[in-house]
Amino acid sequence: MASDLAALNEICVRTAAYGRDITPQMSRPELVGAVYADPYLLHDPASCFVLASGSGDEAEAGAGQGRGRALGYVVGTLDTLAFRQWFTGEYAPARLEELGLAAAGEDPESLTPTDRSYLRLLCAPAPEPAPWLGRYPAHLHIDLLEPVRRQGWGRRLVEAWIDHARERGAAGLHLGVGADNTGAIAFYEAIGLQRIGQDDGGVTMARSLRQE
């Protein structure tokens, strides 16, 4: 598990700045994976799909398949509400303690503005369920390193994840994307997601997984 977490964290950090490495903006880059990689692998490892060197044409379910270096992944959860409750109630307090950021009001001067933005996400209370969450209860995140982009791997990984979610009875999925990330929005639209909401932070997109 430790090697799986490390591999996904590396990819997460190297792609967090709109596909580029976010390390130059941070003093605590591990905060990125603490929000967008670690909790998914810990909470729902069966819903983590990893693309590794030597995988051939396969997208493997679960991390750490022993087939080479991880080059990308899609992680997610089939039940966003349950995931959020676990994240805020159990995972985040323990992770903050591990990172040395659990003390009330702690705000080390060494933190950069980008560090602080991820820390706020880690500390955020669970939001009220959106009215559409019953229709789209699952959600996912996908990241690919540059060498395997624009080769169809993103579509394959997401489609494999969708098949997994559908087989387990998920009614639909959603995800968030920056409003100015036009490339990502176009990609998601091409694989059947539609915009269902937008705020200052970004766009929410969703897709039904019910058989037509």
Side-chain angles (χ1 to χ4, degrees), residues 9-189:
N9 268 263
E10 179 185 358
I11 295 171
C12 199
V13 169
R14 290 175 61 187
T15 59
Y18 287 99
R20 298 183 298 277
D21 193 341
I22 203 169
T23 304
Q25 303 177 33
M26 304 186 74
S27 67
R28 301 292 298 271
E30 65 270 26
L31 285 166
V32 182
V35 174
Y36 288 118
D38 297 352
Y40 296 95
L41 187 56
L42 293 170
H43 185 265
D44 199 353
S47 296
C48 298
F49 287 61
V50 176
L51 174 66
S53 58
S55 292
D57 292 329
E58 300 176 27
E60 296 285 351
Q65 299 298 319
R67 295 197 173 201
R69 184 171 68 92
L71 301 171
Y73 63 79
V74 56
V75 297
T77 180
L78 305 183
D79 186 340
T80 295
L81 186 58
F83 175 83
R84 286 175 176 170
Q85 292 171 341
W86 167 82
F87 185 99
T88 57
E90 298 181 38
Y91 169 77
R95 194 73 173 98
L96 288 165
E97 183 75 31
E98 180 182 341
L99 292 168
L101 298 169
E106 182 157 358
D107 190 15
E109 293 183 2
S110 62
L111 294 185
T112 69
T114 303
D115 291 326
R116 296 179 199 280
S117 69
Y118 281 97
L119 183 58
R120 285 193 294 271
L121 291 171
L122 190 56
C123 295
E128 289 296 319
W132 42 260
L133 192 58
R135 295 170 56 196
Y136 309 109
H139 78 263
L140 62 80
H141 299 283
I142 180 171
D143 286 308
L144 296 176
L145 295 178
E146 177 61 35
V148 289
R149 294 178 194 161
R150 296 175 292 278
Q151 298 178 34
W153 285 114
R155 177 184 288 270
R156 294 188 197 185
L157 280 171
V158 173
E159 289 179 347
W161 199 93
I162 286 173
D163 288 344
H164 159 80
R166 183 183 285 123
E167 287 170 3
R168 285 155 181 78
L173 69 89
H174 71 276
L175 54 83
V177 60
D180 56 350
N181 194 349
T182 55
I185 291 172
F187 166 73
Y188 292 128
E189 289 177 336

